[in-house]
Amino acid sequence: MPETDLTRLNKYIASNGILSRRKIDDLITQGRVDVNGVTIMELGYKINAAKDKVDVDGQRIKPVTKKIYIMLNKPDSVITSLSDEKRRRTVMDLVKINDKIFPVGRLDYHTTGLLLLTNDGEFANKLMSPKSKIYKTYVVKLSKPLEEKHRLKLTGGVRLEKVKTLPAKIDFITEKDYSNLKISISEGKNRQVRKMFEHYGYFVRALHRSAYAGLKLEKMKFGEWRHLTKDEVEILNSK
C-alpha cells in the first residue's frame, strides 16, 4: 500500500476521539491501543484508516463525521475537565450536548473566561502546540501596583522551574492604575500567569481570559456558550 494511504495511529485517534496526541502516545506505550485485535506499542505506527479497526481500552474508535467547535465563557469555581472525582461542577455541566467533546487546554478552577471545546483532536493539538505560538490574553487584577522594572522583566521572559518563559505583552487597562492590566502569552504552562507574577511578589486576585488566538468573548455572559462560525474555524485552522 502506498505510504500516502497510511495515517499515523495517534493522528487517527486524535481526529476521531477525545484526546490530544500526547495523551494518546501515553496510551499506546501503556499497551491500551489495539489495531485489528493486536496491541500496538510502537509510536509512529501507521494504519489504513479506511480498513483497520482501532480500539482504545476495548472501545472502538469511530470516525467523526461532524466536527464541533464551541466557545464557552467559563465561570469561577468550575473544573476544566470531563468529570471530577469530588463531584464539583465541570465545564461539561455547562455545555450540555449529546456529542462527545473535550476542552482545548484548560483554565484553572478560579480562572474565568474564554475556553474552546471540540471533538477535533487535530485542531486541539495544533492550537495547544508551543510551535503554533497562539496568543492568549488575560485580564489580571494584582494585589498591588506593578512596578515598571518588574513589567520589563516579565515582558522579556522570566525563569520558572528552570525554564524561561517566552516574551509576553503587558498593557495597563487605564492610566495610573497599575494593579489592573492585560497580559498576552503564547504558552500555556500550568498556572503560568499566576506564577509569573508571584515570582516578583505579586498575588493575582482575579484572572480572566478575554481572548484566544484572535477570538474574543464580546458580550457573552459567564456560563454562556456558542458554536464557532465557519469563518472563525477557518481562521483558527490557518494559525
Side-chain angles (χ1 to χ4, degrees), residues 26-200:
D26 291 339
L27 296 181
I28 292 174
T29 57
Q30 293 167 11
R32 296 164 62 182
V33 179
D34 294 347
V35 177
N36 300 324
V38 178
T39 299
I40 302 297
M41 300 180 69
E42 174 191 343
L43 296 179
Y45 187 86
K46 294 184 178 181
I47 66 167
N48 179 349
K51 296 181 179 180
D52 292 332
K53 300 186 184 302
V54 178
D55 297 285
V56 176
D57 290 336
Q59 293 198 356
R60 181 65 43 86
I61 298 297
K62 299 180 180 179
V64 173
T65 57
K66 182 177 68 171
K67 301 294 187 182
I68 299 172
Y69 308 94
I70 286 173
M71 178 197 297
L72 166 72
N73 187 356
K74 176 189 168 300
D76 188 9
S77 303
V78 173
I79 298 291
T80 304
S81 176
L82 300 179
S83 60
D84 183 60
E85 296 177 353
K86 299 178 181 179
R87 296 184 178 182
R88 291 171 294 184
R89 191 165 60 149
T90 72
V91 293
M92 305 312 299
D93 294 320
L94 301 175
V95 184
K96 296 182 178 180
I97 62 175
N98 294 326
D99 302 275
K100 289 184 177 180
I101 56 175
F102 64 97
V104 178
R106 66 188 301 274
L107 290 177
D108 295 334
Y109 187 59
H110 288 301
T111 300
T112 62
L114 200 160
L115 180 71
L116 297 178
L117 301 99
T118 185
N119 62 352
D120 187 343
E122 279 302 290
F123 171 84
N125 185 71
K126 182 178 181 180
L127 289 182
M128 291 187 291
S129 172
K131 295 180 181 179
S132 299
K133 295 184 178 180
I134 300 295
Y135 271 94
K136 297 163 277 285
T137 299
Y138 297 83
V139 177
V140 185
K141 182 178 180 59
L142 296 176
S143 56
K144 58 183 179 180
L146 178 65
E147 295 184 37
E148 179 63 10
K149 62 180 180 180
H150 293 147
R151 186 190 70 81
L152 293 174
K153 289 181 178 180
L154 287 166
T155 55
V158 57
R159 189 166 295 279
L160 298 177
E161 300 172 359
K162 299 181 180 181
V163 178
K164 189 174 182 180
T165 62
L166 294 175
K169 302 174 183 178
I170 296 179
D171 297 296
F172 295 106
I173 298 174
T174 58
E175 293 184 10
K176 298 182 180 180
D177 181 356
Y178 304 118
S179 297
N180 293 282
L181 53 88
K182 288 185 178 181
I183 181 170
S184 296
I185 60 174
S186 60
E187 300 173 286
K189 296 184 177 66
N190 184 37
R191 300 186 72 254
Q192 179 174 333
V193 173
R194 295 180 187 274
K195 289 179 179 179
M196 287 173 67
F197 286 105
E198 288 170 0
H199 184 78
Y200 292 109

